[in-house]
Amino acid sequence: MSVPVGFDRQRAKLFSARMVEMLNGAAVIQMVSVGNRTGLFDAMAAMDRGTSSDIAAAASVDERYVREWLGSVTTGGIVEYDPASRTYRLPSEHAASLTTVAGPANLSVLAKTVVSTGQVEAQIVECFRHGGGVPYSEYPEFHLLQRELSGAVQDAMLVRAVLPLIDGLVERLHAGVDVADVGCGAGHAVNLMAAAFPASRFVGFDFSDEAVAMGRAEADAVGLANATFEQRDAAHLDAVGEFDFITAFDSIHDQAHPREVVAAIARALRDNGTWLCVDVAGSSNLEDNGAQPLAPLFYAVSTMHCMTVSLAYGGDGLGSMWGEQQATQMFTDAGFARVDVRKLPGDIVNNYYVCRK
């Protein structure tokens, strides 16, 4: 192959090395997903060190598969290996990002999400060639993964840290107000709030029958009389001045017609109402997103899920990285007189938009 004029051999060598690094990283991410699904990380975190047989027994899985899996996560820098004793150890500093007890810090759930969306790659490739999108029905695990991904964060932060971002809201919730969650998914946030504030009334809206059923089942299991769920398209809420507080947790950017949804939310709020929109922290300008540590992941997941599901329904295909500037403008255009963008310490994933009419 002829070398182009100006070809920088050193740059090519460095990029080739970077490609090798990324290929290894992608392979290890798949093994991280397996470790999450099988409980291997939890099993290893509970022991000091062990052989492949010890680890397999602790996780109740097949030793031969565990041995090969250990080869990947060891050479990938996740697990330590002692060749003299043929034992493996998961350092506690690594376990802090990989186990269920890590709560919101458990990044292995994100690994599982990346691997799951990869299952529709062939369909996404066809969308590249012909347009259109891949509908929600092609992601059979999505609601379960979203519940797992958001559940740990919400359990740890929703009532304790997120709701107090809005002055006076916690007191109003204790006193009793009407609350809606738009695009509620499996409904865990609704049920958390309903349990914490029994004097208030909560309803979750989602167009997925499966998601609504999951929310109802959880509410029934814990005996929540103040939480209900309705299957409804968020763009057609048909509610005027019915709610004091509305939430939307990482759901606006998935909508087929987000402007219609935001306008419907504005209409559904009472005059002194507040909308809390939690969405991906990023800029609407690509050149600014180099500072977002998870930008490559967010753009990739958007390509493989968020954007394409919107396009599948003839939507705008907003995508998860629509950004703060576009979000603020959309909310203002919908009639919100004040839009404040707030952050939580250490949270690099989300912006917290507090919108008032």
Side-chain angles (χ1 to χ4, degrees):
M1 184 181 73
S2 61
V3 177
V5 175
F7 186 84
D8 187 332
R9 294 182 182 276
Q10 181 61 22
R11 184 177 185 181
K13 182 178 180 180
L14 290 172
F15 182 71
S16 178
R18 172 65 176 142
M19 277 297 299
V20 170
E21 179 185 353
M22 289 190 290
L23 286 168
N24 280 326
V28 173
I29 282 298
Q30 189 163 38
M31 296 298 97
V32 168
S33 174
V34 170
N36 174 290
R37 292 176 182 273
T38 56
L40 280 162
F41 289 129
D42 285 345
M44 293 190 72
M47 63 175 67
D48 178 38
R49 60 173 56 249
T51 64
S52 58
S53 296
D54 296 331
I55 296 165
S60 300
V61 292
D62 186 86
E63 185 276 336
R64 182 64 190 92
Y65 280 90
V66 171
R67 198 181 344 140
E68 206 73 3
W69 175 83
L70 284 165
S72 179
V73 294
T74 298
T75 57
I78 293 175
V79 167
E80 295 176 350
Y81 177 61
D82 176 24
S85 62
R86 295 191 175 183
T87 57
Y88 302 82
R89 174 178 175 267
L90 178 64
S92 58
E93 296 84 358
H94 296 188
S97 298
L98 296 169
T99 61
T100 55
V101 296
N106 182 7
L107 298 178
S108 69
V109 182
L110 279 173
K112 190 160 60 174
T113 301
V114 170
V115 173
S116 177
T117 57
Q119 295 174 11
V120 298
E121 180 181 337
Q123 296 176 66
I124 295 292
V125 168
E126 287 303 303
C127 292
F128 269 81
R129 291 176 174 145
H130 306 294
V134 180
Y136 280 108
S137 58
E138 296 300 308
Y139 300 83
E141 287 189 315
F142 179 73
H143 291 301
L144 292 172
L145 287 174
Q146 279 296 98
R147 181 170 66 176
E148 183 179 358
L149 183 61
S150 61
V153 177
Q154 291 171 347
D155 286 341
M157 300 175 63
L158 178 56
V159 174
R160 178 184 62 82
V162 175
L163 298 180
L165 286 172
I166 304 172
D167 294 340
L169 176 63
V170 171
E171 292 78 10
R172 294 183 69 197
L173 289 167
H174 279 302
V177 293
D178 294 303
V179 182
D181 184 24
V182 175
C184 66
H188 189 58
V190 170
N191 291 325
L192 280 177
M193 292 188 291
F197 306 104
S200 288
R201 298 155 296 280
F202 298 84
V203 58
F205 298 119
D206 201 283
F207 80 87
S208 166
D209 288 331
E210 179 188 4
V212 166
M214 291 169 69
R216 286 173 180 158
E218 184 182 49
D220 291 343
V222 294
L224 295 174
N226 61 332
T228 59
F229 296 88
E230 297 182 19
Q231 190 277 327
R232 193 181 300 188
D233 185 342
H236 303 287
L237 291 181
D238 299 325
V240 179
E242 292 186 16
F243 301 102
D244 302 288
F245 180 49
I246 296 178
T247 58
F249 297 100
D250 291 299
S251 62
I252 297 301
H253 67 257
D254 286 341
Q255 301 298 320
H257 303 292
R259 288 171 180 80
E260 294 180 14
V261 174
V262 174
I265 289 171
R267 288 193 300 270
L269 276 173
R270 293 178 177 138
D271 289 340
N272 63 341
T274 302
W275 175 37
L276 172 65
C277 176
V278 182
D279 216 294
V280 174
S283 171
S284 302
N285 304 311
L286 174 59
E287 63 270 21
D288 297 331
N289 284 325
Q292 165 52 271
L294 293 173
L297 172 65
F298 290 153
Y299 279 116
V301 172
S302 185
T303 303
M304 302 300 291
H305 181 269
C306 306
M307 180 190 72
T308 192
V309 295
S310 174
L311 293 173
Y313 298 96
D316 299 342
L318 195 60
S320 61
M321 291 297 282
W322 58 318
E324 182 176 324
Q325 297 88 339
Q326 189 173 355
T328 301
Q329 186 63 56
M330 185 186 296
F331 302 162
T332 301
D333 291 345
F336 288 99
R338 180 176 175 183
V339 179
D340 296 323
V341 185
R342 299 184 179 171
K343 307 275 190 180
L344 282 176
D347 185 350
I348 62 172
V349 174
N350 289 312
N351 279 341
Y352 297 83
Y353 299 93
V354 179
C355 309
R356 296 183 176 88
K357 294 179 71 175

